Amino acid sequence: MPHKPVVQLTRLLPLTLLLPLATACGGAAGAEGSKTVTVTVGYQSKTINTVTAGTLLRSLGYFEDELAARGRKDGKTYKVKWQDYATGAPITAQMTAGKIDIGSMGDFPLLINAARGKQLGQPTRLVSVTGYNLRGGLNTVVTAPGSHVRSLADLRGRKVSTSVGSAADGTLVRALRKAGIDPDKGISKLNQQPSVGASALTGGSVDALSQFVAWPGQLAYEGKAKALYDGADLNLPTFHGVTVREKFAEERGGVLDDFLQAQRRATDYLRKRPVAAAESVAEETGLPAEAVYLYNGAHGIATFDPALRPELIAALKKDVPILKAAKLVGDVDVDSFVDPEPLERATHTPAYPKAGVAKSELWLKGQDSTRTFDSPKRLLKALKGAEVRAAYVPDALTGTLWFADRAVWVADGSDLRAFVTPSHAKTYVERHSGARVVSYADAVRLAS
């Protein structure tokens, strides 16, 4: 039985200071002649967009299964050492120190991984994707439930928590620029670990939090935050992926193949049994299963697919200038960093379909599957008399899934539409004569 992950509580430091962080966490894969080979995998248990290469993969034991089969053929003993971190930065520090062989992280940290690896003589390669959102909906800016901040413009001069160098920080920078706010001078930015930022928001010491999956959804589910900005407004893909030390990939190509095969199996499991997968991840991480499903469900914000899709790589190239402006990287040769050959070699199964349009979903208590509906109104109507565990509706503008009871609702004639943020609802109302914002309770009443 796989062990529970041990959460690394290392405080998030500026990425340039993380390079010396090479604490003993077990050796990387042993030499070719060794009878025992230890593979060290760095992952982020609570960054649930990476679960097919981390939390879920570990709990299912698929990588260990693949390695056991390899050991029966070559007579070696293979062991997996799982190292859990809160962000991608310390994983990169350990990889550049030769302490971690395979790691998973978001698109911005992946670029820093590429830059640091090359700089320190431990080059890395991007070999697969875990989960993605083609519009950028995995990152969200949230405020406290009672906050008077109604739009990004209201953040001018206020304190905002984020993790510098993360995709969530990239979303914040881009969003502020679109709103006409200098991301360096227009706000007071606090560089904090996600958990620290979440505590700061709930404690009232910051005005907003810009973070990646699953923090915004978790806080919203718990009634501790409301969405201010949907990252999907940027309409730019964001994703998490798997990076490997180049030296390891060359010396242990077969082991890397095993990892990618195991990742594909975990992806199959998640796509076929999304509720069971969400329950498993929740048990391993302590996150609410309802919040996990918001991102990892059948119509969740994240789409899981290992393929290195061209649109994702194109988006990665657009991230480089953001990190350069923050002086976190210089030039990054994305084309040489991306290596599709291992995935092509390791997996021979048909490609998954591209992400489709999200639908409303209802998760009833005691059920191991969900019901889908063609419209939010039909979902609301089905709530009458039901024992509801969670209800999800897509934003009418961006398609980002959100909790029905946390969404902003608009009545437009006999129709009912849901939105992640007040600004989305305002935009719709301004474009549709007679449309009006209504409470969730009124929306349920109108639907029935």
Side-chain angles (χ1 to χ4, degrees), residues 139-144 155 159-163 168 172 190 192-202 206-212 215-216 219 224-229:
N139 306 306
T140 312
V141 181
V142 297
T143 60
L155 289 180
K159 293 180 180 179
V160 182
S161 173
T162 190
S163 301
L172 178 64
L190 281 71
Q192 297 178 321
Q193 197 176 49
S195 60
V196 175
S199 296
L201 181 71
T202 57
V206 297
D207 300 290
L209 171 73
S210 180
Q211 271 304 343
F212 47 78
W215 291 96
L219 291 170
K224 297 177 181 178
K226 62 180 179 181
L228 176 72
Y229 185 83

Side-chain angles (χ1 to χ4, degrees), residues 260-308:
L260 294 173
Q261 289 169 354
Q263 185 194 345
R264 172 71 191 221
R265 289 174 61 192
T267 306
D268 285 341
Y269 180 93
L270 183 147
R271 293 176 72 110
K272 292 175 182 176
R273 302 184 61 191
V275 171
E279 295 276 26
S280 174
V281 171
E283 182 179 354
E284 294 291 330
T285 62
L287 293 168
E290 297 84 355
V292 175
Y293 195 84
L294 172 71
Y295 294 98
N296 295 8
H299 295 278
I301 301 174
T303 298
F304 286 84
D305 183 351
L308 295 161

Side-chain angles (χ1 to χ4, degrees), residues 368-389:
D368 58 5
S369 62
T370 62
R371 294 175 58 191
T372 59
F373 299 86
D374 291 333
S375 71
K377 183 178 180 180
R378 290 185 177 179
L379 177 140
L380 293 179
K381 192 173 184 179
L383 296 180
K384 186 176 182 180
E387 292 190 54
V388 179
R389 184 164 180 181

